[in-house]
């Protein structure tokens, strides 16, 4: 058993530097790939900068017509509200006047006037 442990110790002493070197090589490769990825992302972001500026300019150009549309929309809303109010008042006024006319002139009075006119026409004729 002691001999086995001694043999394992000798093997591990020889293998550990080799395994450590391999791990360091993989770590260097990983860092290099990470560095390249960061460079690609940086270049992509720098390439998007002119596009973002162009979009900002386009939005500024569109903003003025949108403000105008919003202004006209508010004006149309006010006109609609005023028109509705005026029509409502006119309808109420007309209803009140019709009610007053109905109260003033009853159907019986109209029938009496028609009969009196018929009698007058018959007497004249």
């Amino acid at each position: 058993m002691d001999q086995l442990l001694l043999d394992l110790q000798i093997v591990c002493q020889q293998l550990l530097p080799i395994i450590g070197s391999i791990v360091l090589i993989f770590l260097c490769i990983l860092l290099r790939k990470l560095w390249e990825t960061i460079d690609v992302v940086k270049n992509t972001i720098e390439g998007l900068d002119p596009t973002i500026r162009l979009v900002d300019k386009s939005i500024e150009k569109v903003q003025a017509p949108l403000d105008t549309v919003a202004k006209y929309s508010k004006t149309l809303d006010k006109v609609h509200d005023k028109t509705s109010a005026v029509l409502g008042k006119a309808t109420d006024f007309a209803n009140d006047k019709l009610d007053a006319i109905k109260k003033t002139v009853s159907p019986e009075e109209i029938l009496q006037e028609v009969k009196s006119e018929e009698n007058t026409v018959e007497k004249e004729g």
Side-chain angles (χ1 to χ4, degrees), residues 61-88:
K61 288 179 183 177
V62 170
Q63 188 62 41
L66 288 177
D67 291 340
T68 303
V69 168
K71 182 176 70 172
Y72 283 122
S73 175
K74 289 177 185 176
T75 303
L76 287 175
D77 289 341
K78 288 179 183 177
V79 168
H80 177 264
D81 293 341
K82 294 292 182 181
T83 304
S84 297
V86 167
L87 288 176

PDB file of all heavy atoms in Angstrom, residues 61-88:
ATOM      1  N   LYS A  61     -37.706  65.882 -37.160  1.00  0.00           N
ATOM      2  CA  LYS A  61     -38.456  66.340 -38.329  1.00  0.00           C
ATOM      3  C   LYS A  61     -39.931  65.969 -38.219  1.00  0.00           C
ATOM      4  O   LYS A  61     -40.803  66.710 -38.658  1.00  0.00           O
ATOM      5  CB  LYS A  61     -37.880  65.721 -39.613  1.00  0.00           C
ATOM      6  CG  LYS A  61     -36.539  66.291 -40.006  1.00  0.00           C
ATOM      7  CD  LYS A  61     -36.022  65.614 -41.260  1.00  0.00           C
ATOM      8  CE  LYS A  61     -34.638  66.103 -41.637  1.00  0.00           C
ATOM      9  NZ  LYS A  61     -34.123  65.384 -42.810  1.00  0.00           N
ATOM     10  N   VAL A  62     -40.235  64.830 -37.647  1.00  0.00           N
ATOM     11  CA  VAL A  62     -41.612  64.364 -37.541  1.00  0.00           C
ATOM     12  C   VAL A  62     -42.343  65.046 -36.379  1.00  0.00           C
ATOM     13  O   VAL A  62     -43.568  65.159 -36.393  1.00  0.00           O
ATOM     14  CB  VAL A  62     -41.623  62.819 -37.368  1.00  0.00           C
ATOM     15  CG1 VAL A  62     -42.985  62.300 -37.007  1.00  0.00           C
ATOM     16  CG2 VAL A  62     -41.128  62.154 -38.641  1.00  0.00           C
ATOM     17  N   GLN A  63     -41.603  65.522 -35.410  1.00  0.00           N
ATOM     18  CA  GLN A  63     -42.227  66.082 -34.207  1.00  0.00           C
ATOM     19  C   GLN A  63     -43.074  67.315 -34.516  1.00  0.00           C
ATOM     20  O   GLN A  63     -44.162  67.466 -33.964  1.00  0.00           O
ATOM     21  CB  GLN A  63     -41.145  66.430 -33.170  1.00  0.00           C
ATOM     22  CG  GLN A  63     -41.709  66.830 -31.831  1.00  0.00           C
ATOM     23  CD  GLN A  63     -42.515  65.719 -31.189  1.00  0.00           C
ATOM     24  OE1 GLN A  63     -42.124  64.554 -31.240  1.00  0.00           O
ATOM     25  NE2 GLN A  63     -43.638  66.055 -30.611  1.00  0.00           N
ATOM     26  N   ALA A  64     -42.622  68.192 -35.400  1.00  0.00           N
ATOM     27  CA  ALA A  64     -43.382  69.414 -35.708  1.00  0.00           C
ATOM     28  C   ALA A  64     -44.754  69.098 -36.321  1.00  0.00           C
ATOM     29  O   ALA A  64     -45.759  69.645 -35.859  1.00  0.00           O
ATOM     30  CB  ALA A  64     -42.568  70.312 -36.635  1.00  0.00           C
ATOM     31  N   PRO A  65     -44.849  68.239 -37.328  1.00  0.00           N
ATOM     32  CA  PRO A  65     -46.185  67.903 -37.835  1.00  0.00           C
ATOM     33  C   PRO A  65     -47.071  67.231 -36.786  1.00  0.00           C
ATOM     34  O   PRO A  65     -48.278  67.472 -36.743  1.00  0.00           O
ATOM     35  CB  PRO A  65     -45.911  66.949 -39.000  1.00  0.00           C
ATOM     36  CG  PRO A  65     -44.534  67.252 -39.446  1.00  0.00           C
ATOM     37  CD  PRO A  65     -43.807  67.675 -38.214  1.00  0.00           C
ATOM     38  N   LEU A  66     -46.481  66.429 -35.926  1.00  0.00           N
ATOM     39  CA  LEU A  66     -47.272  65.799 -34.870  1.00  0.00           C
ATOM     40  C   LEU A  66     -47.817  66.840 -33.899  1.00  0.00           C
ATOM     41  O   LEU A  66     -48.955  66.733 -33.438  1.00  0.00           O
ATOM     42  CB  LEU A  66     -46.441  64.768 -34.116  1.00  0.00           C
ATOM     43  CG  LEU A  66     -46.119  63.480 -34.870  1.00  0.00           C
ATOM     44  CD1 LEU A  66     -45.222  62.570 -34.036  1.00  0.00           C
ATOM     45  CD2 LEU A  66     -47.381  62.748 -35.256  1.00  0.00           C
ATOM     46  N   ASP A  67     -47.007  67.857 -33.593  1.00  0.00           N
ATOM     47  CA  ASP A  67     -47.488  68.932 -32.729  1.00  0.00           C
ATOM     48  C   ASP A  67     -48.650  69.675 -33.389  1.00  0.00           C
ATOM     49  O   ASP A  67     -49.633  70.025 -32.733  1.00  0.00           O
ATOM     50  CB  ASP A  67     -46.353  69.913 -32.404  1.00  0.00           C
ATOM     51  CG  ASP A  67     -45.292  69.291 -31.506  1.00  0.00           C
ATOM     52  OD1 ASP A  67     -45.600  68.279 -30.834  1.00  0.00           O
ATOM     53  OD2 ASP A  67     -44.163  69.813 -31.471  1.00  0.00           O
ATOM     54  N   THR A  68     -48.534  69.902 -34.696  1.00  0.00           N
ATOM     55  CA  THR A  68     -49.599  70.586 -35.428  1.00  0.00           C
ATOM     56  C   THR A  68     -50.885  69.753 -35.406  1.00  0.00           C
ATOM     57  O   THR A  68     -51.975  70.288 -35.179  1.00  0.00           O
ATOM     58  CB  THR A  68     -49.165  70.839 -36.883  1.00  0.00           C
ATOM     59  OG1 THR A  68     -47.939  71.590 -36.872  1.00  0.00           O
ATOM     60  CG2 THR A  68     -50.220  71.586 -37.655  1.00  0.00           C
ATOM     61  N   VAL A  69     -50.766  68.464 -35.635  1.00  0.00           N
ATOM     62  CA  VAL A  69     -51.935  67.586 -35.609  1.00  0.00           C
ATOM     63  C   VAL A  69     -52.580  67.602 -34.222  1.00  0.00           C
ATOM     64  O   VAL A  69     -53.806  67.650 -34.106  1.00  0.00           O
ATOM     65  CB  VAL A  69     -51.541  66.142 -36.014  1.00  0.00           C
ATOM     66  CG1 VAL A  69     -52.639  65.157 -35.711  1.00  0.00           C
ATOM     67  CG2 VAL A  69     -51.173  66.096 -37.486  1.00  0.00           C
ATOM     68  N   ALA A  70     -51.768  67.579 -33.194  1.00  0.00           N
ATOM     69  CA  ALA A  70     -52.317  67.611 -31.830  1.00  0.00           C
ATOM     70  C   ALA A  70     -53.051  68.923 -31.579  1.00  0.00           C
ATOM     71  O   ALA A  70     -54.123  68.939 -30.962  1.00  0.00           O
ATOM     72  CB  ALA A  70     -51.198  67.424 -30.816  1.00  0.00           C
ATOM     73  N   LYS A  71     -52.485  70.031 -32.078  1.00  0.00           N
ATOM     74  CA  LYS A  71     -53.122  71.330 -31.892  1.00  0.00           C
ATOM     75  C   LYS A  71     -54.475  71.372 -32.603  1.00  0.00           C
ATOM     76  O   LYS A  71     -55.484  71.809 -32.029  1.00  0.00           O
ATOM     77  CB  LYS A  71     -52.195  72.434 -32.427  1.00  0.00           C
ATOM     78  CG  LYS A  71     -52.741  73.837 -32.236  1.00  0.00           C
ATOM     79  CD  LYS A  71     -51.743  74.897 -32.681  1.00  0.00           C
ATOM     80  CE  LYS A  71     -51.599  74.874 -34.176  1.00  0.00           C
ATOM     81  NZ  LYS A  71     -50.800  75.962 -34.711  1.00  0.00           N
ATOM     82  N   TYR A  72     -54.529  70.912 -33.850  1.00  0.00           N
ATOM     83  CA  TYR A  72     -55.793  70.904 -34.593  1.00  0.00           C
ATOM     84  C   TYR A  72     -56.802  69.942 -33.964  1.00  0.00           C
ATOM     85  O   TYR A  72     -58.000  70.201 -33.969  1.00  0.00           O
ATOM     86  CB  TYR A  72     -55.572  70.554 -36.064  1.00  0.00           C
ATOM     87  CG  TYR A  72     -55.018  71.709 -36.859  1.00  0.00           C
ATOM     88  CD1 TYR A  72     -53.818  71.601 -37.536  1.00  0.00           C
ATOM     89  CD2 TYR A  72     -55.692  72.915 -36.911  1.00  0.00           C
ATOM     90  CE1 TYR A  72     -53.304  72.667 -38.261  1.00  0.00           C
ATOM     91  CE2 TYR A  72     -55.184  73.986 -37.620  1.00  0.00           C
ATOM     92  CZ  TYR A  72     -53.989  73.858 -38.294  1.00  0.00           C
ATOM     93  OH  TYR A  72     -53.487  74.908 -38.995  1.00  0.00           O
ATOM     94  N   SER A  73     -56.312  68.846 -33.444  1.00  0.00           N
ATOM     95  CA  SER A  73     -57.199  67.895 -32.790  1.00  0.00           C
ATOM     96  C   SER A  73     -57.872  68.531 -31.575  1.00  0.00           C
ATOM     97  O   SER A  73     -59.076  68.374 -31.368  1.00  0.00           O
ATOM     98  CB  SER A  73     -56.409  66.659 -32.358  1.00  0.00           C
ATOM     99  OG  SER A  73     -57.225  65.788 -31.623  1.00  0.00           O
ATOM    100  N   LYS A  74     -57.098  69.271 -30.781  1.00  0.00           N
ATOM    101  CA  LYS A  74     -57.682  69.953 -29.625  1.00  0.00           C
ATOM    102  C   LYS A  74     -58.695  71.002 -30.074  1.00  0.00           C
ATOM    103  O   LYS A  74     -59.754  71.152 -29.466  1.00  0.00           O
ATOM    104  CB  LYS A  74     -56.581  70.603 -28.792  1.00  0.00           C
ATOM    105  CG  LYS A  74     -55.722  69.601 -28.047  1.00  0.00           C
ATOM    106  CD  LYS A  74     -54.607  70.269 -27.287  1.00  0.00           C
ATOM    107  CE  LYS A  74     -53.694  69.234 -26.639  1.00  0.00           C
ATOM    108  NZ  LYS A  74     -52.559  69.862 -25.967  1.00  0.00           N
ATOM    109  N   THR A  75     -58.361  71.717 -31.161  1.00  0.00           N
ATOM    110  CA  THR A  75     -59.285  72.727 -31.672  1.00  0.00           C
ATOM    111  C   THR A  75     -60.588  72.078 -32.139  1.00  0.00           C
ATOM    112  O   THR A  75     -61.680  72.574 -31.855  1.00  0.00           O
ATOM    113  CB  THR A  75     -58.635  73.497 -32.837  1.00  0.00           C
ATOM    114  OG1 THR A  75     -57.407  74.083 -32.375  1.00  0.00           O
ATOM    115  CG2 THR A  75     -59.543  74.585 -33.367  1.00  0.00           C
ATOM    116  N   LEU A  76     -60.480  70.975 -32.861  1.00  0.00           N
ATOM    117  CA  LEU A  76     -61.678  70.269 -33.329  1.00  0.00           C
ATOM    118  C   LEU A  76     -62.505  69.747 -32.157  1.00  0.00           C
ATOM    119  O   LEU A  76     -63.737  69.751 -32.207  1.00  0.00           O
ATOM    120  CB  LEU A  76     -61.295  69.129 -34.266  1.00  0.00           C
ATOM    121  CG  LEU A  76     -60.809  69.552 -35.656  1.00  0.00           C
ATOM    122  CD1 LEU A  76     -60.345  68.334 -36.439  1.00  0.00           C
ATOM    123  CD2 LEU A  76     -61.897  70.282 -36.414  1.00  0.00           C
ATOM    124  N   ASP A  77     -61.839  69.305 -31.112  1.00  0.00           N
ATOM    125  CA  ASP A  77     -62.572  68.858 -29.930  1.00  0.00           C
ATOM    126  C   ASP A  77     -63.359  70.003 -29.316  1.00  0.00           C
ATOM    127  O   ASP A  77     -64.523  69.832 -28.927  1.00  0.00           O
ATOM    128  CB  ASP A  77     -61.613  68.270 -28.891  1.00  0.00           C
ATOM    129  CG  ASP A  77     -61.043  66.920 -29.307  1.00  0.00           C
ATOM    130  OD1 ASP A  77     -61.638  66.278 -30.195  1.00  0.00           O
ATOM    131  OD2 ASP A  77     -60.009  66.528 -28.742  1.00  0.00           O
ATOM    132  N   LYS A  78     -62.737  71.182 -29.254  1.00  0.00           N
ATOM    133  CA  LYS A  78     -63.431  72.350 -28.704  1.00  0.00           C
ATOM    134  C   LYS A  78     -64.628  72.726 -29.581  1.00  0.00           C
ATOM    135  O   LYS A  78     -65.708  73.030 -29.074  1.00  0.00           O
ATOM    136  CB  LYS A  78     -62.475  73.534 -28.590  1.00  0.00           C
ATOM    137  CG  LYS A  78     -61.446  73.377 -27.489  1.00  0.00           C
ATOM    138  CD  LYS A  78     -60.506  74.571 -27.450  1.00  0.00           C
ATOM    139  CE  LYS A  78     -59.426  74.386 -26.414  1.00  0.00           C
ATOM    140  NZ  LYS A  78     -58.468  75.508 -26.404  1.00  0.00           N
ATOM    141  N   VAL A  79     -64.434  72.716 -30.902  1.00  0.00           N
ATOM    142  CA  VAL A  79     -65.526  73.044 -31.826  1.00  0.00           C
ATOM    143  C   VAL A  79     -66.672  72.046 -31.663  1.00  0.00           C
ATOM    144  O   VAL A  79     -67.851  72.425 -31.633  1.00  0.00           O
ATOM    145  CB  VAL A  79     -65.014  73.060 -33.292  1.00  0.00           C
ATOM    146  CG1 VAL A  79     -66.155  73.096 -34.278  1.00  0.00           C
ATOM    147  CG2 VAL A  79     -64.080  74.245 -33.505  1.00  0.00           C
ATOM    148  N   HIS A  80     -66.346  70.789 -31.561  1.00  0.00           N
ATOM    149  CA  HIS A  80     -67.372  69.753 -31.379  1.00  0.00           C
ATOM    150  C   HIS A  80     -68.142  69.983 -30.084  1.00  0.00           C
ATOM    151  O   HIS A  80     -69.378  69.888 -30.059  1.00  0.00           O
ATOM    152  CB  HIS A  80     -66.719  68.373 -31.375  1.00  0.00           C
ATOM    153  CG  HIS A  80     -67.685  67.263 -31.127  1.00  0.00           C
ATOM    154  ND1 HIS A  80     -67.884  66.725 -29.877  1.00  0.00           N
ATOM    155  CD2 HIS A  80     -68.529  66.605 -31.957  1.00  0.00           C
ATOM    156  CE1 HIS A  80     -68.798  65.788 -29.941  1.00  0.00           C
ATOM    157  NE2 HIS A  80     -69.198  65.686 -31.198  1.00  0.00           N
ATOM    158  N   ASP A  81     -67.421  70.277 -29.007  1.00  0.00           N
ATOM    159  CA  ASP A  81     -68.088  70.509 -27.726  1.00  0.00           C
ATOM    160  C   ASP A  81     -69.023  71.710 -27.808  1.00  0.00           C
ATOM    161  O   ASP A  81     -70.167  71.656 -27.332  1.00  0.00           O
ATOM    162  CB  ASP A  81     -67.055  70.719 -26.614  1.00  0.00           C
ATOM    163  CG  ASP A  81     -66.255  69.456 -26.316  1.00  0.00           C
ATOM    164  OD1 ASP A  81     -66.718  68.354 -26.682  1.00  0.00           O
ATOM    165  OD2 ASP A  81     -65.162  69.574 -25.715  1.00  0.00           O
ATOM    166  N   LYS A  82     -68.549  72.804 -28.410  1.00  0.00           N
ATOM    167  CA  LYS A  82     -69.377  74.009 -28.525  1.00  0.00           C
ATOM    168  C   LYS A  82     -70.598  73.750 -29.413  1.00  0.00           C
ATOM    169  O   LYS A  82     -71.708  74.182 -29.105  1.00  0.00           O
ATOM    170  CB  LYS A  82     -68.568  75.189 -29.090  1.00  0.00           C
ATOM    171  CG  LYS A  82     -67.465  75.676 -28.194  1.00  0.00           C
ATOM    172  CD  LYS A  82     -68.034  76.312 -26.946  1.00  0.00           C
ATOM    173  CE  LYS A  82     -66.886  76.829 -26.095  1.00  0.00           C
ATOM    174  NZ  LYS A  82     -67.339  77.426 -24.862  1.00  0.00           N
ATOM    175  N   THR A  83     -70.398  73.047 -30.530  1.00  0.00           N
ATOM    176  CA  THR A  83     -71.507  72.744 -31.439  1.00  0.00           C
ATOM    177  C   THR A  83     -72.551  71.883 -30.735  1.00  0.00           C
ATOM    178  O   THR A  83     -73.753  72.130 -30.861  1.00  0.00           O
ATOM    179  CB  THR A  83     -70.984  72.020 -32.696  1.00  0.00           C
ATOM    180  OG1 THR A  83     -69.974  72.812 -33.310  1.00  0.00           O
ATOM    181  CG2 THR A  83     -72.096  71.755 -33.680  1.00  0.00           C
ATOM    182  N   SER A  84     -72.092  70.896 -30.006  1.00  0.00           N
ATOM    183  CA  SER A  84     -73.026  70.045 -29.269  1.00  0.00           C
ATOM    184  C   SER A  84     -73.811  70.864 -28.249  1.00  0.00           C
ATOM    185  O   SER A  84     -75.032  70.674 -28.099  1.00  0.00           O
ATOM    186  CB  SER A  84     -72.272  68.926 -28.549  1.00  0.00           C
ATOM    187  OG  SER A  84     -71.639  68.080 -29.470  1.00  0.00           O
ATOM    188  N   ALA A  85     -73.119  71.765 -27.559  1.00  0.00           N
ATOM    189  CA  ALA A  85     -73.807  72.593 -26.568  1.00  0.00           C
ATOM    190  C   ALA A  85     -74.844  73.492 -27.232  1.00  0.00           C
ATOM    191  O   ALA A  85     -75.976  73.631 -26.740  1.00  0.00           O
ATOM    192  CB  ALA A  85     -72.785  73.424 -25.793  1.00  0.00           C
ATOM    193  N   VAL A  86     -74.480  74.122 -28.351  1.00  0.00           N
ATOM    194  CA  VAL A  86     -75.407  75.014 -29.054  1.00  0.00           C
ATOM    195  C   VAL A  86     -76.613  74.228 -29.563  1.00  0.00           C
ATOM    196  O   VAL A  86     -77.760  74.680 -29.440  1.00  0.00           O
ATOM    197  CB  VAL A  86     -74.675  75.741 -30.211  1.00  0.00           C
ATOM    198  CG1 VAL A  86     -75.660  76.407 -31.147  1.00  0.00           C
ATOM    199  CG2 VAL A  86     -73.702  76.762 -29.651  1.00  0.00           C
ATOM    200  N   LEU A  87     -76.397  73.075 -30.161  1.00  0.00           N
ATOM    201  CA  LEU A  87     -77.513  72.263 -30.654  1.00  0.00           C
ATOM    202  C   LEU A  87     -78.420  71.815 -29.508  1.00  0.00           C
ATOM    203  O   LEU A  87     -79.639  71.779 -29.654  1.00  0.00           O
ATOM    204  CB  LEU A  87     -76.999  71.061 -31.435  1.00  0.00           C
ATOM    205  CG  LEU A  87     -76.406  71.365 -32.811  1.00  0.00           C
ATOM    206  CD1 LEU A  87     -75.839  70.099 -33.439  1.00  0.00           C
ATOM    207  CD2 LEU A  87     -77.446  71.983 -33.718  1.00  0.00           C
ATOM    208  N   GLY A  88     -77.812  71.487 -28.391  1.00  0.00           N
ATOM    209  CA  GLY A  88     -78.609  71.106 -27.227  1.00  0.00           C
ATOM    210  C   GLY A  88     -79.475  72.258 -26.751  1.00  0.00           C
ATOM    211  O   GLY A  88     -80.668  72.078 -26.447  1.00  0.00           O
TER     212      GLY A  88
END
